[in-house]
Amino acid sequence: MIYLNGDFMPIEEARIPVLDRGFIFGDGVYEVIPVYSRRPFRLAEHLRRLQHSLDGIRIKNPHSDAEWSGLLEQLIAANESDDQYLYLHITRGVAKRDHAFPKGVAPTVFIMSNPLLTPPQELLATGVAAITASDNRWLRCDIKAISLLPNILLRQMAVDVGAVETMLLREGFMTEGAASNIFVVKDGVLLAPPKNHLMLPGITYDVVLELAAAHDIPYEVREVSEYEVRTAQELLLTSSTKEIMPITRLDGKPVGDGSPGEVFTQLYQLYQNYKVTVMRGDTPAP
Ligand code: PDD
């Protein structure tokens, strides 16, 4: 079941006019929210980021947080899996083709749910391969825009060589992955690039830094150079659907000793424990 502009329906019945600006221009934003045991994870934070994205492209938020929460609750109940991930898509709506904003047009609101399958243990045990590429995206990567063409082309470069992610480098520094945030472990310190216009402010990224702070894992939020990436002991990838994964090969060479490292193992366990706490409805402190 999906939600489209006020109605719940099977996805096969959902229809959007071809003049929707999402289709014509990629003129919209989205969010991805994981759901564990039918509870949306970090909902307030995801809705705050959605507001930031909407503000960034000047679409008025069509719903209050309470309305969003109610819609998501209904959609979660209407779908089978206990663990799901929700995609919220908002476009500028349907209008005659013209770059300038149309007047008096209601945004299109679409929400879909898929069963959430977190990465299998076999993959976590070996880690995954990544490649690097030059970050050729625009300068508002903090907006979760549906126009993802650069990210698609960059991620496909990884898939074409049997890797799972492309790590992006801009002017000698690492920004993020094509569809994830990246952490580097160097000299025993977890390094995270600072949140700014060059990367998506990841919700999982925030959780990881909170866990590091709460459990005395040394960390620094600062620019991370390409040299530090290439000489890292560990590389970690984070996203709402992949949680935390170790990158154990970069551009065909082993990262550290080529197997998942201590910082990954510790953070992964902390993340799983934290999730369970949130799922039980206990105070969600790290
Ligand atoms: N992508 N950076 C980019 C470019 C991303 O697309 C994502 C997530 C992240 C991680 O953010 P978060 O931890 O909030 O999921 C960082 C999602 C999963 C997607 O587009 O499907």
Side-chain angles (χ1 to χ4, degrees):
M1 296 291 284
I2 62 99
Y3 170 89
L4 179 62
N5 295 332
D7 296 311
F8 291 89
M9 64 190 84
I11 194 160
E12 297 75 21
E13 289 173 19
R15 298 281 179 275
I16 293 179
V18 287
L19 284 181
D20 192 286
R21 290 176 63 100
F23 180 62
I24 297 290
F25 293 120
D27 183 4
V29 296
Y30 75 111
E31 259 306 316
V32 186
I33 308 179
V35 172
Y36 298 112
S37 300
R38 299 195 176 272
R39 282 170 189 269
F41 185 69
R42 294 240 156 174
L43 178 59
E45 288 81 354
H46 280 282
L47 292 180
R48 200 176 311 135
R49 187 172 66 186
L50 176 63
Q51 184 67 55
H52 174 81
S53 296
L54 288 166
D55 289 345
I57 70 163
R58 294 163 62 190
I59 292 181
K60 189 175 172 296
N61 196 332
H63 295 298
S64 67
D65 282 5
E67 287 168 356
W68 280 118
S69 179
L71 291 175
L72 300 182
E73 200 177 303
Q74 289 181 69
L75 194 67
I76 292 166
N79 281 284
E80 261 173 38
S81 305
D82 287 343
D83 294 349
Q84 307 176 16
Y85 60 105
L86 307 176
Y87 271 83
L88 287 61
H89 280 237
I90 298 105
T91 78
R92 207 178 302 277
V94 181
K96 186 169 176 297
R97 192 184 192 287
D98 179 9
H99 285 55
F101 298 171
K103 290 207 173 64
V105 169
T108 300
V109 179
F110 171 59
I111 317 173
M112 67 174 164
S113 167
N114 287 299
L116 177 63
L117 301 171
T118 49
Q121 288 303 324
E122 306 87 74
L123 212 54
L124 296 171
T126 56
V128 296
I131 60 167
T132 54
S134 170
D135 193 344
N136 57 8
R137 302 173 301 164
W138 69 334
L139 297 175
R140 288 304 308 274
C141 295
D142 55 312
I143 296 174
K144 204 163 168 61
I146 59 169
S147 23
L148 283 170
L149 203 42
N151 304 63
I152 290 168
L153 295 174
L154 289 163
R155 172 114 202 290
Q156 187 61 36
M157 287 167 61
V159 172
D160 286 346
V161 295
V164 308
E165 183 59 301
T166 303
M167 289 173 48
L168 306 177
L169 299 165
R170 199 190 279 267
E171 292 170 6
F173 295 95
M174 194 262 302
T175 53
E176 60 177 339
S180 61
N181 289 116
I182 306 283
F183 292 83
V184 172
V185 179
K186 180 83 186 146
D187 301 327
V189 181
L190 181 69
L191 303 178
K195 287 198 269 185
N196 57 25
H197 61 291
L198 299 179
M199 68 173 235
L200 187 79
I203 306 298
T204 323
Y205 166 104
D206 282 340
V207 176
V208 165
L209 287 183
E210 285 173 32
L211 291 171
H215 297 274
D216 296 324
I217 298 171
Y219 73 93
E220 283 173 28
V221 178
R222 63 160 172 82
E223 290 197 317
V224 181
S225 71
E226 177 173 354
Y227 175 77
E228 288 172 313
V229 168
R230 298 208 182 276
T231 55
Q233 285 145 5
E234 296 181 44
L235 297 175
L236 315 183
L237 162 171
T238 68
S239 86
S240 292
T241 47
K242 297 204 162 90
E243 300 184 334
I244 309 179
M245 294 187 79
I247 295 171
T248 46
R249 292 190 78 75
L250 184 66
D251 292 333
K253 299 194 184 79
V255 176
D257 67 5
S259 57
E262 275 171 37
V263 177
F264 163 74
T265 308
Q266 194 182 355
L267 279 170
Y268 178 81
Q269 204 47 58
L270 289 169
Y271 193 87
Q272 299 307 315
N273 296 344
Y274 175 68
K275 246 170 59 181
V276 173
T277 315
V278 173
M279 278 158 23
R280 281 201 311 251
D282 298 348
T283 318

